[in-house]
Amino acid sequence: MLDKAKYIFVTGGVVSSLGKGISASSLGLLLKKRGLKVCNVKFDPYLNVDPGTMNPFQHGEVFVLDDGSETDLDLGHYERFIDKPLTKENNVTTGQIYSTVISRERRGDYLGATVQVIPHITNEIKNRIKQLERLGDKPDVIIAEIGGTVGDIESLPFLEAIRQMGQEEGPGAAMFLHVTLVPYINTAGEFKTKPTQHSVKELREIGIQPHVLLCRSAKDLSDELRQKISLFCSVPTDAVINAPDVPTIYEVPLKFREQGLDDIVCKQFGWETEKPDMADWESMVSRIRNPKRQIKIGICGKYVHLRDAYKSIIESFVHAGVHNDAEVKLIWVSSEEIKQSGADKLLYDIDGLLIPGGFGERGVEGKIESIRYVRENNIPFLGICLGMQCAVIEYARNVCGLSDAHSYEFYRDLKHPVIHLMADQKNVTDMGGTMRLGAYPCIIEENSRAFEAYGEKEISERHRHRYEFNNSYREMLVENGLKLTGVSPDGRLVEIVEVSEHPWFVSVQFHPELKSRPTRPHPLFRDFIKAAVTYHEDHSDSAKPETSEQTDLSQAH
Ligand code: GLN
């Protein structure tokens, strides 16, 4: 539509976790629905080259893209809201910027110059933003989110780079959007605008005057408060947008639309476009808010207290729930607790079980035990990555009688390594970016739950693993009733396994959660929830598997 892309820079103030990623995604969605081509990019100020080597406790989920890059979880929000596959260029870290500049220096590209943060690092940051203009469908607008909070030492070079761009491009081509917090102080019974004022002051000190403020608050802010913020921060009142807490993140774009955020952007950039048609989005949100039924899905994993580690899985359940008119209540069960208390005591009330991906041995025995429980009790099951590997171990042990079956990931000296290291991983020594990563095709057998879900024989899904189904055990497992319903095109890698004598038991080596979208749930999550709804309807409480001592699940977690 346009010759040159416009830029929207999103910064955050006061505290972290204000939802900058969701704000940037929501604005992207509104602009996309106005007919513009949108490109979102996230700048992360840490020195890691990518989050792939970080512990989920530090960073939350690693979101893997089709091209195999391991990225920040905000990229997940971008893909879910804007529904456009991203590439490695959409997530840039300080680590990447510095590696580029330092290798250039070693090559002699800067001969004679002292290499400095300004201009060398800032120029590289600006290059990374500008190169997005030439990518893919040539975006009309680049929404660049700067990670961290204004005032952090490590995000300063990014802020300086976007300040320079604001100056060079002018307000007709670059705008600044600042996300802040307006806290409610209970003892005073009032909202306080001072933290927002301070945060804007801090931004101005480094030369950035925001055009729009997105004010996060627990409840709606009054016009009077917005006027006050406007006065102190030199932002027009209609550009002081309120982002109150909402029951579902998918409501955020609707809140922004109501307040005309996209109108403000279009006006500033001189775009004359139709107003966005949000009908499908509104209907999706209304279905999330008014479910016809509630079902319970158990999730058994290592980081159950850290929901960010399972972000895409949680969202996939929301999407699949909408499709099935069900609210999916997630029952988080620590895999270690299963080992101690027994699966029947913790899982008796669930309508389905999901075992997510993971690394390391901790909790694996609990996962295997919970899989045995749902397999024997005909409770729907979805296993993802490590979840599939555990399902194979469980089957080998309890159905094929290989009591010491395990994964080579955890023990090297195994009699029955039913999960083994992939051949091309054997000589890998570096940890970063060396797993089997990204999109790979998979061929599905027609007579299977997987085919029922996808409705096609060749699919593509994203991967992140080092270990695989050991082909030496194929025959034995298949003879004992395990179905290998999805394999790589050369037949060598097992991608999907199912249990035939079970209503819905599907395990996959890839990560379907990375490709679920709010208005287009992932087929496997959709069918898993459908099976769980059927299970729920067929089993009144009395018909659920018995337990010796029924525990209140809400207390157990
Ligand atoms: N740890 C397992 C592997 O590397 C599974 C990885 C995962 O669940 N993402 O193969």
Side-chain angles (χ1 to χ4, degrees):
M1 171 180 166
L2 306 159
D3 296 327
K4 198 179 168 320
K6 311 277 184 188
Y7 304 100
I8 301 173
F9 300 113
V10 180
T11 53
V14 187
V15 290
S16 58
S17 304
L18 285 181
K20 281 198 301 288
I22 291 167
S23 303
S25 310
S26 300
L27 176 57
L29 171 72
L30 294 178
L31 296 178
K32 180 186 171 188
K33 287 199 175 270
R34 292 185 78 126
L36 294 151
K37 287 182 283 173
V38 179
C39 170
N40 278 69
V41 57
K42 169 90 191 272
F43 286 90
D44 279 308
Y46 47 71
L47 282 166
N48 302 59
V49 170
D50 64 41
T53 51
M54 273 187 244
N55 183 324
F57 269 117
Q58 300 272 324
H59 190 267
E61 152 185 286
V62 174
F63 194 81
V64 180
L65 306 179
D66 282 336
D67 66 7
S69 44
E70 299 175 279
T71 71
D72 184 71
L73 56 76
D74 276 328
L75 284 261
H77 293 309
Y78 302 164
E79 281 202 347
R80 285 187 281 272
F81 278 68
I82 300 155
D83 201 4
K84 182 177 129 182
L86 300 171
T87 58
K88 62 178 187 314
E89 287 81 5
N90 299 93
N91 191 192
V92 179
T93 67
T94 299
Q96 291 169 21
I97 301 280
Y98 273 80
S99 331
T100 306
V101 172
I102 291 170
S103 47
R104 225 176 260 157
E105 187 276 332
R106 292 288 82 187
R107 266 203 320 264
D109 290 5
Y110 306 111
L111 270 192
T114 307
V115 182
Q116 293 178 299
V117 173
I118 303 171
H120 300 97
I121 294 295
T122 46
N123 280 351
E124 179 56 21
I125 296 171
K126 291 197 286 183
N127 284 344
R128 298 284 181 126
I129 301 174
K130 288 181 184 163
Q131 72 167 10
L132 292 165
E133 274 187 52
R134 299 184 290 273
L135 276 185
D137 60 358
K138 300 223 168 57
D140 299 317
V141 57
I142 293 165
I143 304 178
E145 176 191 345
I146 312 298
T149 307
V150 168
D152 296 347
I153 292 175
E154 52 179 20
S155 59
L156 275 175
F158 291 104
L159 297 174
E160 170 57 15
I162 63 172
R163 181 198 69 76
Q164 291 175 14
M165 280 187 77
Q167 202 68 29
E168 289 155 10
E169 304 287 330
M175 72 189 286
F176 294 96
L177 200 141
H178 190 54
V179 184
T180 74
L181 176 69
V182 181
Y184 185 80
I185 306 298
N186 267 328
T187 45
E190 316 186 297
F191 282 108
K192 292 291 176 190
T193 63
K194 197 69 84 186
T196 294
Q197 294 177 36
H198 277 293
S199 169
V200 171
K201 189 165 158 252
E202 200 146 7
L203 255 188
R204 281 176 171 165
E205 273 169 17
I206 47 180
I208 296 173
Q209 166 63 45
H211 299 97
V212 174
L213 290 178
L214 288 180
C215 300
R216 290 297 320 280
S217 57
K219 284 182 257 161
D220 288 339
L221 296 179
S222 65
D223 287 348
E224 210 185 324
L225 270 165
R226 290 175 49 226
Q227 276 154 15
K228 186 173 171 192
I229 295 170
S230 154
L231 184 69
F232 280 100
C233 301
S234 303
V235 171
T237 315
D238 65 351
V240 178
I241 306 282
N242 186 198
D245 291 350
V246 276
T248 156
I249 53 168
Y250 299 111
E251 217 170 308
V252 175
L254 303 177
K255 284 278 171 202
F256 287 176
R257 173 83 276 273
E258 265 168 34
Q259 298 172 76
L261 173 61
D262 48 313
D263 297 331
I264 294 170
V265 172
C266 290
K267 194 166 153 212
Q268 176 150 347
F269 290 151
W271 286 332
E272 282 172 20
T273 67
E274 297 277 315
K275 303 258 184 229
D277 176 4
M278 301 300 288
D280 62 336
W281 203 267
E282 276 162 8
S283 113
M284 179 262 296
V285 168
S286 127
R287 286 173 75 175
I288 294 178
R289 296 193 67 161
N290 305 294
K292 293 207 177 102
R293 48 174 93 80
Q294 189 194 61
I295 56 154
K296 292 181 183 157
I297 299 293
I299 298 195
C300 181
K302 188 160 69 171
Y303 299 106
V304 287
H305 302 295
L306 185 80
R307 306 292 144 90
D308 269 3
Y310 303 111
K311 193 107 220 158
S312 294
I313 287 179
I314 296 173
E315 294 309 321
S316 301
F317 278 127
V318 174
H319 313 157
V322 169
H323 188 91
N324 287 287
D325 285 316
E327 180 193 348
V328 180
K329 184 168 190 289
L330 299 178
I331 309 290
W332 297 88
V333 192
S334 137
S335 34
E336 285 169 318
E337 228 171 288
I338 294 266
K339 192 73 200 119
Q340 285 156 18
S341 316
D344 64 336
K345 221 161 121 197
L346 294 174
L347 300 178
Y348 75 93
D349 203 21
I350 58 167
D351 303 304
L353 176 75
L354 178 129
I355 306 276
F359 297 84
E361 207 223 340
R362 186 153 66 84
V364 161
E365 289 303 327
K367 291 177 191 176
I368 294 171
E369 177 54 14
S370 59
I371 297 170
R372 182 198 57 76
Y373 176 79
V374 295
R375 184 180 53 74
E376 290 177 356
N377 287 293
N378 290 325
I379 300 170
F381 173 71
L382 178 59
I384 294 178
C385 209
L386 179 63
M388 168 191 135
Q389 298 175 355
C390 289
V392 173
I393 298 169
E394 190 279 321
Y395 209 82
R397 284 189 191 173
N398 301 325
V399 180
C400 307
L402 307 178
S403 58
D404 42 8
H406 219 314
S407 166
Y408 188 73
E409 177 177 0
F410 314 126
Y411 298 102
R412 295 285 134 130
D413 188 20
L414 282 174
K415 193 153 161 226
H416 295 298
V418 289
I419 303 298
H420 215 288
L421 193 60
M422 285 190 288
D424 45 11
Q425 289 287 332
K426 292 206 167 118
N427 300 316
V428 170
T429 48
D430 274 5
M431 290 303 274
T434 55
M435 282 185 264
R436 179 171 181 245
L437 289 165
Y440 285 93
C442 165
I443 309 297
I444 296 183
E445 188 192 297
E446 277 189 42
N447 177 24
S448 67
R449 292 286 181 220
F451 185 76
E452 244 171 57
Y454 286 99
E456 52 193 346
K457 276 172 81 174
E458 184 172 338
I459 55 152
S460 169
E461 290 284 2
R462 298 180 185 172
H463 296 69
R464 184 172 188 248
H465 66 118
R466 243 182 250 290
Y467 299 87
E468 62 166 327
F469 183 105
N470 184 344
N471 286 328
S472 319
Y473 292 88
R474 260 194 197 198
E475 226 179 285
M476 168 185 257
L477 285 157
V478 170
E479 269 168 17
N480 282 282
L482 194 70
K483 288 171 69 181
L484 315 182
T485 59
V487 291
S488 55
D490 64 3
R492 204 178 62 83
L493 295 172
V494 174
E495 298 275 22
I496 310 178
V497 306
E498 300 185 19
V499 169
S500 14
E501 299 304 314
H502 190 284
W504 209 92
F505 189 109
V506 179
S507 289
V508 294
Q509 185 57 77
F510 46 80
H511 289 270
E513 74 275 21
L514 303 175
K515 286 179 73 175
S516 184
R517 306 288 175 255
T519 49
R520 212 159 41 81
H522 190 283
L524 291 177
F525 275 88
R526 187 199 62 213
D527 281 15
F528 173 47
I529 292 307
K530 189 170 152 217
V533 167
T534 308
Y535 180 89
H536 180 79
E537 282 166 359
D538 290 352
H539 294 74
S540 62
D541 278 348
S542 57
K544 284 192 170 168
E546 275 184 22
T547 163
S548 41
E549 196 188 320
Q550 302 230 322
T551 339
D552 179 358
L553 283 170
S554 57
Q555 285 172 13
H557 311 289

